[in-house]
Amino acid sequence: MLKIVKLTRPADPSISRVLEEFLEDQRTRLVPRTLATYEAVLDLLQSHLNGYAYERLSKAEAALFDRHFNARGEEHREFCQLFGPDKIVEQLGSFLGYFMIRKVMAGEDFKRAAGTVTKKLSKWLAVKGYLSEEDTREAVDIGATAARDLPRAERAAQLLRKAVDRVGIDPTELAEGDYLELDHFTIGRVEPGKLWLEIQRGRKRRSCGPIAVPAPVAKLLREGWDLSCSLGRVRGVWHIVEMANVYPA
């Protein structure tokens, strides 16, 4: 018996086309400055999708992607030209929770806007029938949470970098046992002016603290968030000695 294999085909409409349609709708109601922010956020979203989203494709989808991505000339296609808007939702968390923090140099206002724009995009996709109710609820929640937490995290990171500079501890002068190199540490507890970080070493997990932080920082941070930093111990007390980013949970 001949087995018929159904090949995966490019989506219609594609992510790129749907985002263009969304922006076209916004042009009728947004002032130029706000529209420019929408365009910038969605350009970054497409960059994220084109650069990372292929990692979560099924075997059949990956074959489609490889075939078109590796093609030359007019046959070449990026991720957003091949797949539909249903692929946006599964990537929103990593876009807002990683890409916008690690890859994008931007201030609090733009990061707040990233959450707001993706939230409004999600609602628009639902109205147009591109998303299910369940996916819409998930996407709207991710966008709303990002609009609230990303500016807080950015502000906290800025304040912590300044605090680290003031402390002025040189990691190269610390003994090996008194230095924990740059890593992601989860906040286990926050109190006024201090916090405790969870340190994972192999199968063992321990709490490190209290670590002094400026009072405004303690008000911004939340348990369960991650700090990308390194830690140093001086006279038995741990300090943040290098600071990269703050990642909301």
Side-chain angles (χ1 to χ4, degrees):
M1 182 177 177
L2 181 64
K3 184 178 180 180
I4 299 176
V5 179
K6 187 176 181 181
L7 297 177
T8 301
R9 297 177 178 275
D12 185 21
S14 66
I15 293 170
S16 294
R17 201 163 97 191
V18 166
L19 294 184
E20 288 175 4
E21 185 184 346
F22 172 68
L23 284 174
E24 194 61 39
D25 277 3
Q26 308 316 303
R27 288 189 177 96
T28 63
R29 66 180 192 84
L30 298 178
V31 298
R33 184 176 178 179
T34 304
L35 179 63
T37 299
Y38 272 57
E39 291 172 337
V41 169
L42 296 182
D43 184 59
L44 288 170
L45 175 60
Q46 288 198 78
S47 294
H48 170 74
L49 293 169
N50 286 334
Y52 298 94
Y54 71 91
E55 297 172 352
R56 295 186 61 176
L57 293 174
S58 68
K59 188 174 181 180
E61 290 169 335
L64 171 73
F65 175 77
D66 290 341
R67 183 166 68 251
H68 287 276
F69 183 78
N70 294 323
R72 297 182 178 181
E74 294 182 358
E75 295 301 315
H76 173 79
R77 296 288 185 276
E78 296 287 339
F79 183 94
C80 289
Q81 296 171 310
L82 289 170
F83 297 97
D86 57 298
K87 293 294 185 186
I88 295 176
V89 178
E90 63 190 42
Q91 289 291 326
L92 276 185
S94 57
F95 169 63
L96 294 168
Y98 172 79
F99 187 85
M100 283 299 302
I101 297 172
R102 181 74 182 272
K103 301 294 184 179
V104 179
M105 297 293 291
E108 299 168 48
D109 289 343
F110 186 79
K111 291 187 175 180
R112 180 182 296 107
T116 300
V117 172
T118 52
K119 176 183 173 181
K120 291 186 176 181
L121 170 65
S122 302
K123 291 182 175 180
W124 180 89
L125 290 171
V127 170
K128 294 293 184 178
Y130 293 132
L131 290 185
S132 67
E133 287 187 16
E134 182 179 356
D135 283 347
T136 301
R137 285 194 297 270
E138 179 183 354
V140 168
D141 183 61
I142 292 172
T145 299
R148 180 194 68 212
D149 289 346
L150 282 182
R152 297 173 65 99
E154 175 61 25
R155 180 62 177 158
Q158 291 174 1
L159 292 173
L160 282 171
R161 292 185 198 113
K162 291 179 181 178
V164 167
D165 290 341
R166 288 195 297 270
V167 170
I169 297 173
D170 186 351
T172 62
E173 297 180 354
L174 297 173
E176 183 177 348
D178 290 330
Y179 176 67
L180 295 176
E181 62 184 16
L182 191 69
D183 203 346
H184 282 242
F185 302 107
T186 301
I187 301 173
R189 183 174 154 201
V190 182
E191 291 184 4
K194 53 190 174 183
L195 57 80
W196 285 256
L197 296 176
E198 300 297 321
I199 310 299
Q200 187 78 41
R201 288 294 178 264
R203 295 184 178 181
K204 295 183 178 180
R205 188 178 185 89
R206 63 185 176 88
S207 179
C208 180
I211 299 170
V213 295
V217 172
K219 290 181 179 180
L220 292 167
L221 297 175
R222 295 290 181 268
E223 293 179 9
W225 288 15
D226 282 354
L227 299 189
S228 177
C229 64
S230 62
L231 302 173
R233 183 166 51 189
V234 178
R235 292 187 289 277
V237 179
W238 286 99
H239 304 267
I240 297 173
V241 295
E242 296 167 299
M243 184 65 211
N245 296 302
V246 177
Y247 295 86

